[in-house]
Amino acid sequence: MLNSAKPTPGVISAEPEPIKLDWPATALLIIDMQRDFMEPGGFGETLGNDVSQLARAVNPIGAVLKAARDTGMLVIHTREGHLPDLSDAPPAKVERGAPSLRIGDPGPMGRILIRGEAGHDIIPELYPLDSEVVIDKPGKGAFYATELTDVLEKYGIENLLVCGVTTEVCVNTTVREANDRGYRCVVISDGCASYFPEFHEMGLKMIKAQGGIFGWVADSAAVLEAMKVSTT
Ligand code: TIU
């Protein structure tokens, strides 16, 4: 746990300070745990990244996902990707840099970052249940050009447990979007990962600095501990 003090039942030992959440108003938001980012041959690797850096987030997310399912918490998965005709992919995104394959090009897991392709799907270990919400997003943030706001309002959600990949890109963008919309975000530190470990560390620091300028940060053990006693 991040804090050495014994946790108060139902309170997440988070930084910069402990936080108690109203559990029925809390959802688990899992960002982009897709093969395109996690496995060789996908979008992440085309950008020149070592995708093995992200594997460490899978088990902590799996543990919180199991607890969320056991307690009936709303679970939302997101996927970054584009329509097959690329009509939702800005040229500024498609054309930038010198990737080994561009968005839409055929790769070993199908067309890179295209909805419906094998690479776009969520990894088997964290695969959504039919009852869970899956949000397809064209951008880094989960609110931009998606129905996420409607889903959160429909379920009366005020707080988000946020995890996924990558820490400084889609997780941070989404947390910033959520914070501006009034949601309390608790980011699960070991449930996030980056291709750049130093960006992971700084990405978490940016969230919890200045009294929690974007939100709170807690590890999965602290979240699980609080969920155990707080969901009744
Ligand atoms: N490249 C990178 O670090 N991330 C992304 O492009 N998308 C997400 O973070 N999901």
Side-chain angles (χ1 to χ4, degrees):
M1 293 199 193
L2 293 169
N3 295 343
S4 53
K6 200 167 181 294
T8 308
V11 175
I12 302 175
S13 296
E15 290 181 337
E17 60 190 5
I19 179 168
K20 188 167 173 43
L21 298 179
D22 174 15
W23 294 105
T26 302
L28 174 62
L29 180 61
I30 305 177
I31 303 292
D32 299 0
M33 291 300 289
Q34 297 162 253
R35 299 181 66 193
D36 251 322
F37 297 104
M38 306 295 298
E39 296 184 17
F43 178 64
E45 194 177 75
T46 69
L47 299 176
N49 296 308
D50 170 11
V51 295
S52 70
Q53 289 289 342
L54 305 190
R56 67 192 70 176
V58 174
N59 285 344
I61 296 174
V64 178
L65 177 58
K66 180 179 184 313
R69 286 172 174 167
D70 289 348
T71 57
M73 181 181 285
L74 178 68
V75 176
I76 304 170
H77 306 255
T78 70
R79 300 185 297 203
E80 180 181 348
H82 297 283
L83 297 168
D85 66 1
L86 296 182
S87 57
D88 61 353
K93 180 177 182 182
V94 177
E95 293 167 2
R96 80 179 51 181
S100 58
L101 294 170
R102 289 194 189 275
I103 295 169
D105 285 349
M109 294 189 287
R111 294 177 67 201
I112 298 293
L113 215 59
I114 298 296
R115 294 186 194 176
E117 302 287 347
H120 177 262
D121 215 348
I122 291 172
I123 58 170
E125 298 94 314
L126 303 174
Y127 209 77
L129 301 178
D130 286 344
S131 57
E132 293 169 353
V133 178
V134 178
I135 301 278
D136 279 314
K137 62 188 187 61
K140 304 306 181 192
F143 288 85
Y144 169 67
T146 73
E147 67 279 26
L148 181 56
T149 300
D150 294 340
V151 170
L152 298 178
E153 284 177 3
K154 175 179 161 195
Y155 287 94
I157 298 301
E158 298 169 4
N159 317 303
L160 298 169
L161 301 176
V162 188
C163 55
V165 296
T166 61
T167 315
E168 81 281 12
V169 181
C170 290
V171 172
N172 247 275
T173 306
T174 297
V175 167
R176 290 167 189 229
E177 287 181 326
N179 183 58
D180 277 349
R181 286 163 174 78
Y183 297 98
R184 296 177 198 88
C185 293
V186 178
V187 178
I188 304 170
S189 53
D190 53 342
C192 299
S194 169
Y195 301 118
F196 307 91
E198 69 272 30
F199 290 175
H200 172 79
E201 291 305 320
M202 292 308 292
L204 297 176
K205 279 187 181 171
M206 287 178 192
I207 288 163
K208 68 188 178 188
Q210 304 183 60
I213 196 79
F214 297 120
W216 290 255
V217 176
D219 64 15
S220 57
V223 171
L224 290 167
E225 179 69 29
M227 286 176 78
K228 223 167 39 185
V229 292
S230 301
T231 47
T232 51

